[in-house]
Amino acid sequence: MPNMSLTKVPSEEQEPLVRNKNFLEVTMCYTPEQAVEEARRCLNCKNKPCVDGCPVNVRIPEFIEKVAAGDFKAAYEIISDTNALPCVSGRVCPQENQCEERCVRGIKGESVAIGRLERFVADWYLKNCNVMPVKPESNGIKVAVVGSGPAGLTCASDLAKRGYEVTVFEAFHTAGGVLVYGIPEFRLPKAIVQSEVDKLKALGVDLQLDVVVGRTITIDELMDEGYKAVFVGSGAGLPMFMGIEGESLAGVYSANEYLTRVNLMKAYLDDHDTPLKRSRTVAVVGGGNVAMDAARCAKRMGAEKVYLMYRRDEEEMPARREEVNHAKEEDIDFRLLCNPVRILGNEKGQVSQIECVRMRLQAPDESGRRSPKEVPGSNFFLNVDTVIMALGTSPNPLIRSTTPGLEANRKGCLVVDEDTMRTTREGIYAGGDAVTGAATVILAMGAGKTAAQAIDEYLSEKN
Ligand code: FAD
Ligand code: SF4
Ligand code: SF4
């Protein structure tokens, strides 16, 4: 008999006013008993609507059936058949818009907690088995991967499993892309990302860190060195600013820089050596997941007051509902329908105030979205010493500007054939945020997978 409870088995969380002072994980993993109880809510639907909602087609009812039977190892084998980073996706996938959105249990009550179950299985495996893969026999064909985010890691892993000699070139000193420099430790512990990188190394993938492709070496030079194909998974790390007065004052950061200093350079540890202002009052501008992460990090870094400024209302916020709720619980002060117009500085050139204007939402336009309009004369000032801009990012132009024949659209995203992820240059493939602009981890992984398959077909034909 299935468990017909209308609600998910809850996950335990750290208390909000305790967790907003530490970087430990906010949400605890299910216990085996909780996982079995939740798995019993799945009806094992014949037409599997949940699977259609998963970008990498995890065989959801099959793995959940194994969880319900207590066979967690078999559940892991099913998930990892199509999902290379289940420890990551189980934590950060926007499940509510993907697999869980299609779950029939969601029609009357809450959907099955597919993400939490996936995380449980992946964590269980990491703790109890974690068998390192064995390096397959080499076919002697060299492939280069640019960038070690989820797109690059997935592509490299799939190609290495097929016997290719894969080298990953990463600009930073640590592999993982946004998984290590963007998403904070309290949502995705870095040890988990490292364990995935270790598996890649066990497969024989050569990781070349501190190499900026396009500057240290170009893609054409890589091809001259004998790489027969290249996958570009360089992400979308170029931050946008508002273009308002005062953005060059000391104490104004892009969310990317702020989060990189906190997460990758470990500014939250006492022995860190990255310069980061010890802020008292912070304004974060934006309404997406990146803004939530920046605000929650600023609070944990010791700020007494953190404002979250967004020019629309809460309903229109692109951030995941769970992240918004977590941020509110953690004492982030939401200032909605409000937009900065100027940042003011003191005599030392440091941020001292932010001038904002109130906004009003207009009637929905053709796309159904209500655009915000300034309310004349509603300007007001807030005293702040730090401003963090979380307004979105776009791909860095370095690779396309140093690789002749590589075309990009007007947003700077590389143009690819969607079935193969082949770019406009033969032998060069691309995927993830470099192609879509800022998107999600699981979509980047899906693109890396598709590209690996296409590269294999291309090179098999050529050799
Ligand atoms: P990235 O992860 O950006 O990796 C690209 C890598 O390429 C980087 O390591 C970069 O250093 C390297 N690189 C760039 N240029 C070069 C070069 N010229 N030479 C060598 N290396 C280079 N998604 C979710 O699904 N859930 C979330 O909760 C979520 N939260 C997010 C929070 C933040 C703060 C941010 C910034 C993003 C978040 N995202 C989230 C989005 C998600 O992380 C990205 O969509 C995903 O990481 C894209 O993967 P990628 O492999 O394409 O690129
Ligand atoms: Fe759901 Fe993401 Fe797992 Fe797919 S990978 S089943 S979308 S949590
Ligand atoms: Fe189980 Fe929901 Fe998928 Fe049905 S739709 S198989 S109940 S997870």
Side-chain angles (χ1 to χ4, degrees):
M1 259 295 278
N3 168 2
M4 291 313 288
S5 165
L6 293 182
T7 52
K8 294 175 181 177
V9 173
S11 285
E12 281 173 38
E13 289 178 352
Q14 277 196 73
E15 285 300 319
L17 299 183
V18 172
R19 69 180 191 237
N20 73 3
K21 294 175 192 66
N22 70 54
F23 277 78
L24 301 175
E25 204 164 9
V26 167
T27 313
M28 315 292 166
C29 190
Y30 275 159
T31 62
E33 295 73 27
Q34 288 172 319
V36 170
E37 192 187 340
E38 180 60 25
R40 287 184 45 247
R41 292 185 64 233
C42 174
L43 304 177
N44 207 343
C45 309
K46 245 193 187 144
N47 55 350
K48 309 173 181 126
C50 48
V51 178
D52 295 336
C54 171
V56 293
N57 296 110
V58 170
R59 302 199 306 276
I60 296 165
E62 273 180 58
F63 100 73
I64 294 184
E65 196 180 14
K66 294 294 180 197
V67 177
D71 190 349
F72 307 138
K73 189 163 179 280
Y76 180 83
E77 278 153 12
I78 293 167
I79 300 172
S80 59
D81 198 26
T82 55
N83 180 348
L85 306 171
C87 278
V88 175
S89 56
R91 286 173 165 81
V92 305
C93 245
Q95 294 108 10
E96 63 281 10
N97 304 324
Q98 298 183 163
C99 52
E100 294 187 13
E101 190 182 42
R102 312 278 183 101
C103 174
V104 295
R105 292 298 310 262
I107 298 170
K108 204 173 168 193
E110 289 181 349
S111 63
V112 174
I114 302 168
R116 287 180 194 166
L117 288 172
E118 187 168 286
R119 170 184 168 182
F120 163 77
V121 170
D123 282 12
W124 181 90
Y125 186 85
L126 195 63
K127 203 166 147 208
N128 295 285
C129 310
N130 203 25
V131 180
M132 278 292 154
V134 179
K135 181 178 179 327
E137 199 180 319
S138 164
N139 64 12
I141 304 173
K142 284 170 47 166
V143 179
V145 170
V146 182
S148 65
L153 292 181
T154 308
C155 186
S157 161
D158 278 17
L159 286 169
K161 284 179 191 160
R162 291 169 156 107
Y164 290 94
E165 294 284 329
V166 185
T167 307
V168 177
F169 297 93
E170 166 56 49
F172 275 134
H173 63 276
T174 308
V178 171
L179 306 181
V180 291
Y181 81 74
I183 303 180
E185 178 79 18
F186 56 81
R187 285 212 292 128
L188 178 61
K190 303 310 153 215
I192 282 172
V193 184
Q194 189 53 48
S195 79
E196 299 300 343
V197 173
D198 290 344
K199 284 196 189 124
L200 207 65
K201 287 190 196 156
L203 280 169
V205 172
D206 179 20
L207 267 176
Q208 295 284 329
L209 303 173
D210 295 314
V211 178
V212 182
V213 174
R215 211 172 293 289
T216 322
I217 188 163
T218 64
I219 287 188
D220 282 307
E221 284 166 347
L222 285 173
M223 290 189 139
D224 290 345
E225 282 189 10
Y227 289 95
K228 300 294 180 204
V230 178
F231 174 76
V232 180
S234 50
L238 195 68
M240 294 179 198
F241 284 89
M242 296 187 78
I244 58 174
E245 188 184 326
E247 278 183 323
S248 54
L249 287 165
V252 180
Y253 295 88
S254 70
N256 257 39
E257 181 190 345
Y258 189 83
L259 289 169
T260 303
R261 290 193 188 281
V262 175
N263 298 316
L264 184 67
M265 319 296 280
K266 308 264 181 246
Y268 60 91
L269 299 178
D270 288 338
D271 60 353
H272 76 84
D273 59 3
T274 185
L276 190 78
K277 190 177 169 71
R278 289 282 158 184
S279 315
R280 290 186 65 179
T281 315
V282 180
V284 177
V285 186
N289 287 322
V290 180
M292 300 304 142
D293 282 341
R296 297 171 73 193
C297 278
K299 191 76 192 167
R300 284 164 171 77
M301 290 300 294
E304 288 160 22
K305 186 86 189 161
V306 180
Y307 299 106
L308 191 296
M309 298 183 173
Y310 182 53
R311 64 199 182 118
R312 299 170 188 264
D313 62 15
E314 192 173 322
E315 237 169 70
E316 311 241 344
M317 273 191 162
R320 290 182 69 188
R321 181 75 0 226
E322 187 184 29
E323 304 309 327
V324 171
N325 291 342
H326 277 156
K328 282 179 160 178
E329 289 167 4
E330 289 171 12
D331 200 23
I332 306 300
D333 188 343
F334 279 51
R335 297 292 173 115
L336 303 171
L337 291 167
C338 146
N339 207 28
V341 289
R342 184 163 62 121
I343 305 166
L344 292 87
N346 59 21
E347 61 289 347
K348 291 184 186 153
Q350 294 161 336
V351 172
S352 60
Q353 272 192 328
I354 187 162
E355 181 182 357
C356 305
V357 63
R358 293 193 201 288
M359 308 295 283
R360 184 172 47 221
L361 289 182
Q362 304 188 88
D365 60 18
E366 279 165 14
S367 70
R369 212 150 183 229
R370 304 173 66 197
S371 46
K373 199 172 174 211
E374 283 188 20
V375 178
S378 63
N379 297 39
F380 64 99
F381 294 83
L382 289 172
N383 291 332
V384 295
D385 56 30
T386 306
V387 176
I388 304 173
M389 295 290 185
L391 304 161
T393 52
S394 59
N396 190 308
L398 181 63
I399 289 187
R400 66 172 190 274
S401 65
T402 53
T403 315
L406 217 53
E407 278 175 30
N409 66 18
R410 61 184 177 81
K411 290 184 176 163
C413 301
L414 294 176
V415 173
V416 295
D417 168 72
E418 277 179 23
D419 293 331
T420 60
M421 308 312 286
R422 209 202 97 156
T423 65
T424 45
R425 269 273 307 266
E426 190 189 329
I428 305 180
Y429 295 72
D433 285 4
V435 166
T436 53
T440 64
V441 170
I442 200 74
L443 286 173
M445 284 167 57
K449 219 174 177 46
T450 305
Q453 169 77 25
I455 291 171
D456 184 32
E457 283 165 18
Y458 164 71
L459 292 176
S460 305
E461 261 173 39
K462 265 191 102 179
N463 289 282

